[in-house]
Amino acid sequence: MLDTKIISQLQKIVGKEAVLTAKEDLNAYSYDGTTTWAHLPDVVVLPTTAEQVSQILKLADENRVPVTPRGAGTNVSGGSIPIKGGIVLCTTRMTKILDINKTNLTATVEPGVVLQDFNMALAKEGLFYPPDPQSFLGCTIGGTVAENAGGPYCVKYGVTKQYVVGLEVVLANGYVMKLGGVTVKNRTGYELMMLFIGSEGTLGIITKVTLRLLPMPPASKTMMAVFDDMSAGGQAVSNILARGVIPAKVEFVDNFVIRRIEEMTPMGLPVDAKALLLLQADGSPAAVEVESGQIVDILKKSGAKEVKVAQDASEAAKYWGMRRAGFAAVFGAAKTVMAEDVAVPRDKLAEFIHKLEEISQRTGFFIQCLGHAGDGNLHPAIFTDVSDKENFAKAQQTMEEIFEAALSLGGVLSGEHGIGLEKQRFLSRAMDPVALDLMKKIKGLLDPNHILNPGKIWEEEA
Ligand SMILES: Cc1cc2nc3c(=O)[nH]c(=O)nc-3n(C[C@H](O)[C@H](O)[C@H](O)COP(=O)(O)OP(=O)(O)OC[C@H]3O[C@@H](n4cnc5c(N)ncnc54)[C@H](O)[C@@H]3O)c2cc1C
């Protein structure tokens, strides 16, 4: 329980109506995109300026109150769960797009700007910001930077960290620090900015972001390839990349998602297919023609039963809408869904899919699978029920086998969702112990009282 004096000081900083303490409000900030975790905060604060964030952190640091930063709460690793109670500092009122510079190809925004709003503002200027987590209708820029989010476009264009050129971050002691700037190149000292990208709210609160932009590609073409065999779909991805063709997007969905989407929104999907690959080529119209022709050819030679090329923008939008709904289709399928986020080297994708099938047969758990195949980043999911202890324990054991399978192929624990609460048990197996120790020392330097998102990435010692 938080001291009422702290609540009144918070009210002085941000105003009474920006401090929430009612049970129903606290409930709304107690969970995120995961289905396993929930914890009530003592209070939620909704600042509008970096100065307010600074004062909140000073107050929290002096009184050793945990602070969990939060954007839209769409993460799927438990990152924004206030697991130690205290303050949830939510940035959804910091929504200004401060600058879009068409000549410098940069934009500066506050952290609470919703990615879709940003994309719409850029589209009016003919500009393009590629990182496109499939939660873009709701997730915030601050959340995407703190998670170093990716998405379908990242196979060709790279993830969030490749676009951040400047950050304003409020440190745990309240200091407002500026890193980088508005230049695309910057070799001034250590790359400290990278420390904060993907730091899951444990090192500082991001209050301003400057992003590099691209011109909108003038043309694009979408293709959908149907496979009778899941690992053949994975092999097709490696075959495309090995031919030196880099599509803008390469996504994988399995039969479960195809059927669920077709049930919810009938669109004539091939419900008997074992897997679909959705691909997009983009660039100048001539380049798109050549590239899409090459992609179709490789897909057919790789065993695709059928390759459909979208005839217009609305057909393409239909296919991408299906991919976007994939996660929701999976999360609604069971009481508890363990959806993972492993990434393997792209030439090991078919082997990894094969291993998933083996694990599923051996353990008896159905393993659902979709993801950013072009990046070797898949989201295998297991359906369970956290209240059924025996089944849940077996599901956890099966998920552990999935991690081991990915690691044994040279893969990693998380491609884009982060460690949060979900994967800290496995961190020491997946990281060099000296690197892990260095991470903890960095945390200790930047946040000596461990107020920022405590309990995340690794369990804090009391
Ligand atoms: C349907 C669906 C599809 C998704 N698809 C993708 C995908 O394709 N790719 C992908 O990468 N992710 C995906 N995600 C996960 C999620 O949307 C991303 O991680 C996103 O970046 C989270 O943004 P958010 O604003 O919701 O952040 P939150 O969930 O609120 O927070 C995420 C983390 O960032 C920290 N944080 C938030 N704001 C700040 C800040 N201003 N300063 C410091 N720390 C902060 C939080 O403490 C937390 O640790 C998906 C999620 C869903 C539900």
Side-chain angles (χ1 to χ4, degrees):
M1 204 48 180
L2 211 53
D3 192 331
T4 49
K5 277 191 209 140
I6 292 180
I7 307 273
S8 16
Q9 279 170 293
L10 289 170
Q11 287 173 338
K12 270 193 202 129
I13 297 169
V14 291
K16 269 193 176 165
E17 57 79 46
V19 176
L20 313 178
T21 50
K23 182 78 191 302
E24 54 273 28
D25 287 329
L26 301 182
N27 265 333
Y29 293 85
S30 68
Y31 60 91
D32 58 14
T34 52
T35 51
T36 330
W37 305 94
H39 198 284
L40 283 178
D42 293 299
V43 60
V44 176
V45 280
L46 298 148
T48 50
T49 65
E51 178 49 34
Q52 289 178 353
V53 173
S54 162
Q55 288 182 39
I56 296 163
L57 289 193
K58 260 188 220 152
L59 177 70
D61 202 37
E62 277 161 21
N63 293 280
R64 311 289 191 262
V65 179
V67 179
T68 303
R70 183 182 174 102
T74 66
N75 80 87
V76 279
S77 54
S80 55
I81 306 280
I83 199 76
K84 309 271 177 186
I87 299 171
V88 161
L89 189 155
C90 185
T91 61
T92 48
R93 291 191 183 176
M94 301 177 78
T95 55
K96 291 194 197 88
I97 296 177
L98 299 164
D99 179 47
I100 295 178
N101 186 327
K102 226 176 151 171
T103 328
N104 195 39
L105 287 176
T106 52
T108 300
V109 301
E110 290 186 340
V113 170
V114 169
L115 186 51
Q116 172 74 345
D117 295 341
F118 184 50
N119 287 335
M120 303 277 275
L122 294 180
K124 283 186 197 149
E125 306 290 335
L127 295 170
F128 173 47
Y129 173 66
D132 56 342
Q134 293 298 277
S135 51
F136 60 83
L137 292 175
C139 70
T140 65
I141 300 278
T144 62
V145 174
E147 292 287 6
N148 189 18
Y153 269 127
C154 297
V155 58
K156 177 169 174 182
Y157 293 102
V159 296
T160 302
K161 72 178 173 194
Q162 269 116 13
Y163 291 85
V164 181
V165 296
L167 276 187
E168 180 183 86
V169 185
V170 184
L171 300 180
N173 63 8
Y175 183 76
V176 184
M177 182 169 73
K178 293 193 170 40
L179 292 165
V182 291
T183 60
V184 220
K185 281 185 157 181
N186 189 340
R187 264 301 301 117
T188 320
Y190 290 165
E191 250 331 343
L192 288 180
M193 208 164 56
M194 285 295 157
L195 255 186
F196 292 88
I197 303 169
S199 65
E200 303 185 37
T202 60
L203 298 182
I205 298 198
I206 298 156
T207 46
K208 205 186 284 178
V209 187
T210 300
L211 296 161
R212 186 167 71 86
L213 307 173
L214 297 174
M216 186 77 81
S220 67
K221 197 167 260 192
T222 289
M223 291 143 278
M224 181 174 83
V226 181
F227 286 88
D228 277 341
D229 177 84
M230 292 219 294
S231 34
Q235 188 56 47
V237 177
S238 308
N239 296 347
I240 291 169
L241 300 176
R243 274 270 296 269
V245 182
I246 308 287
K249 303 180 184 178
V250 187
E251 295 289 303
F252 178 95
V253 294
D254 71 355
N255 177 268
F256 179 85
V257 170
I258 302 168
R259 280 186 295 108
R260 285 277 292 178
I261 300 287
E262 194 58 26
E263 269 164 37
M264 294 188 294
T265 326
M267 56 171 86
L269 293 173
V271 287
D272 295 328
K274 278 274 168 15
L276 294 179
L277 282 182
L278 286 180
L279 307 99
Q280 184 173 302
D282 72 0
S284 70
V288 168
E289 276 313 304
V290 174
E291 213 170 79
S292 55
Q294 288 173 316
I295 292 171
V296 170
D297 179 53
I298 304 167
L299 287 167
K300 285 185 176 158
K301 287 187 177 137
S302 305
K305 196 167 84 173
E306 189 188 358
V307 183
K308 283 189 175 180
V309 178
Q311 294 307 302
D312 51 33
S314 80
E315 189 180 347
K318 192 174 82 174
Y319 295 151
W320 291 112
M322 181 260 288
R323 165 60 186 94
R324 202 165 56 247
F327 233 24
V330 173
F331 269 87
K335 195 158 179 204
T336 306
V337 177
M338 284 181 177
E340 271 317 325
D341 171 43
V342 285
V344 296
R346 294 179 286 187
D347 59 347
K348 297 285 193 304
L349 199 58
E351 207 177 327
F352 181 59
I353 293 171
H354 193 60
K355 277 181 186 273
L356 290 178
E357 289 171 325
E358 264 176 26
I359 296 172
S360 172
Q361 267 175 14
R362 189 159 27 79
T363 60
F365 273 100
F366 168 64
I367 300 176
Q368 186 283 322
C369 203
L370 86 167
H372 311 302
D375 296 324
N377 181 197
L378 291 183
H379 301 310
I382 296 178
F383 302 146
T384 176
D385 178 352
V386 72
S387 59
D388 178 345
K389 285 201 168 53
E390 197 184 329
N391 188 274
F392 188 67
K394 281 189 188 151
Q396 278 186 312
Q397 179 62 38
T398 304
M399 198 46 96
E400 216 162 313
E401 291 194 33
I402 294 176
F403 287 142
E404 291 297 348
L407 295 177
S408 73
L409 293 172
V412 293
L413 265 189
S414 170
E416 56 184 19
H417 294 167
I419 303 299
L421 291 166
E422 288 273 297
K423 269 170 284 188
Q424 37 185 262
R425 288 189 301 133
F426 306 101
L427 195 60
S428 59
R429 262 187 261 170
M431 266 194 91
D432 183 317
V434 176
L436 185 53
D437 186 49
L438 187 58
M439 254 176 27
K440 291 181 181 177
K441 285 185 176 137
I442 290 169
K443 166 76 174 169
L445 264 180
L446 285 167
D447 179 17
N449 297 320
H450 291 232
I451 60 155
L452 277 170
N453 217 354
K456 304 299 164 62
I457 307 185
W458 58 83
E459 181 58 38
E460 304 270 338
E461 283 122 41

